[in-house]
Amino acid sequence: MTGSLVLLKQRRFLPLFATQFLNAFNDNFYKMAMVILATFTIYKDPETEAWFNALAGGLFILPFFLFSALAGQLADSTDKTRLIRLIKTAEIGIMIVGAAGIWLHNVPLMLLALFSMGMHSTFFGPIKYAILPQHLGEDEVLAGTGWVEAGTYIAILGGSIVGGLTPPHIAIPGIICVAIIGRLTASHVPPAPPEKEAEGLAIDHNVLRSSWQLVNGTMHIPRLFLAIVSISFFWAIGAILAAQFPPLVKNALGADNTVATMFTAIFSVGVAIGSIIVNRLLKGHVSARYSPGSVIVMGLFVLDLWWSVKGWTHRDGSLMDWREFLSLTAGDRIIVDLLGIAVAGGMFVVPLYAFLTTTVAKSQTARTVAANNIVNSGFMVAATLLLSVLIALGLTIDDTLLMVAAMCLLSAWLAWKLHKACD
């Protein structure tokens, strides 16, 4: 991260950083407000609450699977800044729909807005990574990627806290205001015209065919295959954990929404810390050498979390708040486990993202990121669907953590193969 603070003072990076920060903040502001409303107000049945959280996670991710190929083609062949401004304008309308759903306690309307926000992020995702090699020097890309990842997770923290604690009547205008501010910051992002090699690129609007061709054309390169699958396992793990946080807190630990918000916040801070630590360790050199060990440590913390939740006994009656939870010695152990999972996860995934944006030509960066997003989303949707089926078959919330620990071992093996292939 040497000299990386300078980036935050320059127009070639700061407006993009602010725009993507607000994007992640509003995603999680709305998503957490919706999930908390459904879990603690609309629904009263533990199985329904777990099913709703899994469905919400799947709906948000589905557009990444369906439309990432189109998003990558557009980002490589069009001025990325122009696309950013169009996307952020659309966000304002989406948040108006979401606000109406919260106001009316209308679950289908809230889920429609969530799916639309997934669409919005699908088209924004390839741009925020692909634009970095255009605006930054080669020795700045890893630092820029680290700032984007750290900023994203700090935004997730802020959005999760605000969404989890803000009453619905305040959340309704709040999500619309954040969308408007994001559009204003987008107007200051410098132009990012397409590279000459990508000018005149023919856009394939058949989402299934273009997705298949893009993934097939990217994944046949061994090092890209290993990096993308490694990242995908990480996000599948994240999807399972995120879907389980609210029902785990309420039904397994006997705590309220303030504890669910605290858990999400701790996870977000931990990933941001891990992002900064690994950038310090690598000193600007893009490498996967710390990824295998990081994800093994992550799996060990998951196992300890499973053990803690499995043996948890909570009192009957009202749900405890975050102060009561933190007063328990067993609660401290769970906090340490969550932080350890997140820090190790950040150290695992950030170098892999930097690898994707620096190992291909600039004219192909957005499509490479889009291919990664397609595979990531496929893994995440599959993970949430599997989770829904297992819950319906009677799998307990705490036992899903064992499945996550096993996935960490497979991720470590893939990351080791990538390290040996590239380093």
Side-chain angles (χ1 to χ4, degrees):
M1 299 287 285
T2 303
S4 61
L5 283 172
V6 176
L7 294 177
L8 293 177
K9 302 176 183 178
Q10 299 182 15
R11 191 190 167 200
R12 61 196 177 107
F13 183 72
L14 179 58
L16 173 68
F17 177 81
T19 302
Q20 67 85 29
F21 181 93
L22 291 167
N23 183 77
F25 180 92
N26 219 23
D27 275 352
N28 289 276
F29 184 3
Y30 172 70
K31 187 160 51 176
M32 183 59 77
M34 181 197 73
V35 166
I36 292 297
L37 179 67
T39 302
F40 291 93
T41 302
I42 296 176
Y43 295 121
K44 304 297 182 184
D45 174 63
E47 184 176 326
T48 305
E49 292 160 9
W51 174 84
F52 173 82
N53 280 274
L55 175 63
L59 277 178
F60 184 77
I61 295 305
L62 184 59
F64 287 87
F65 184 73
L66 295 176
F67 301 107
S68 283
L70 179 59
Q73 294 175 79
L74 289 172
D76 273 338
S77 61
T78 310
D79 188 304
K80 297 175 183 62
T81 302
R82 179 171 173 269
L83 285 176
I84 289 173
R85 293 168 185 168
L86 289 172
I87 291 166
K88 300 307 291 183
T89 300
E91 182 184 356
I92 298 172
I94 294 169
M95 286 296 92
I96 291 173
V97 174
I102 293 174
W103 176 261
L104 298 171
H105 286 200
N106 186 310
V107 172
L109 204 57
M110 290 191 292
L111 291 176
L112 173 63
L114 185 69
F115 178 82
S116 299
M117 281 303 287
M119 284 276 290
H120 161 273
S121 295
T122 296
F123 284 87
F124 185 73
I127 298 172
K128 75 175 184 180
Y129 290 110
I131 203 172
L132 293 177
Q134 281 189 268
H135 287 169
L136 305 182
E138 289 185 9
D139 60 341
E140 297 174 318
V141 172
L142 182 59
T145 303
W147 275 118
V148 167
E149 287 299 301
T152 296
Y153 282 97
I154 293 299
I156 291 172
L157 162 62
S160 299
I161 290 175
V162 174
L165 301 180
T166 302
H169 69 278
I170 297 177
I172 288 169
I175 56 176
I176 298 173
C177 288
V178 174
I180 293 171
I181 296 170
R183 176 59 182 86
L184 293 175
T185 61
S187 65
H188 295 284
V189 178
E195 299 291 326
K196 289 185 178 180
E197 296 88 341
E199 289 180 357
L201 177 70
I203 305 297
D204 186 351
H205 293 88
N206 185 315
V207 294
L208 296 180
R209 181 179 61 222
S210 60
S211 297
W212 168 253
Q213 290 177 346
L214 181 60
V215 171
N216 187 52
T218 304
M219 298 289 278
H220 79 278
I221 303 171
R223 63 185 185 278
L224 291 180
F225 172 86
L226 291 169
I228 289 172
V229 174
S230 297
I231 294 171
S232 297
F233 265 98
F234 173 81
W235 285 115
I237 290 168
I240 292 173
L241 291 176
Q244 290 301 282
F245 273 170
L248 183 147
V249 167
K250 180 182 177 184
N251 303 314
L253 301 180
D256 67 8
N257 65 304
T258 63
V259 178
T261 302
M262 181 177 67
F263 277 20
T264 304
I266 290 168
F267 196 80
S268 303
V269 168
V271 175
I273 292 171
S275 303
I276 294 171
I277 289 174
V278 77
N279 275 285
R280 294 281 188 181
L281 292 173
L282 291 174
K283 298 178 181 178
H285 176 62
V286 179
S287 169
R289 66 177 178 268
Y290 293 113
S291 294
S294 297
V295 78
I296 288 174
V297 171
M298 180 179 172
L300 292 174
F301 276 113
V302 171
L303 280 177
D304 194 66
L305 177 63
W306 167 79
W307 182 260
S308 298
V309 173
K310 190 77 172 175
W312 186 275
T313 55
H314 65 84
R315 65 191 182 192
D316 296 327
S318 61
L319 301 176
M320 60 181 155
D321 63 17
W322 66 275
R323 293 182 183 85
E324 294 173 282
F325 182 84
L326 290 178
S327 70
L328 304 174
T329 303
D332 293 341
R333 182 172 176 176
I334 288 177
I335 295 299
V336 171
D337 286 337
L338 286 172
L339 187 62
I341 291 167
V343 171
M347 293 182 65
F348 168 73
V349 77
V350 167
L352 303 184
Y353 271 108
F355 178 83
L356 287 182
T357 59
T358 57
T359 196
V360 296
K362 291 180 182 179
S363 60
Q364 300 174 346
T365 305
R367 279 169 287 173
T368 302
V369 174
N372 171 68
N373 288 346
I374 293 170
V375 180
N376 290 177
S377 59
F379 272 68
M380 293 171 76
V381 170
T384 52
L385 289 175
L386 176 62
L387 181 61
S388 299
V389 171
L390 292 176
I391 289 171
L393 293 175
L395 185 74
T396 61
I397 292 172
D398 47 338
D399 283 340
T400 60
L401 297 173
L402 284 178
M403 180 172 65
V404 169
M407 293 171 69
C408 287
L409 287 177
L410 185 53
S411 295
W413 176 71
L414 291 166
W416 175 252
K417 288 184 64 103
L418 176 63
H419 167 59
K420 298 297 289 184
C422 300
D423 295 348

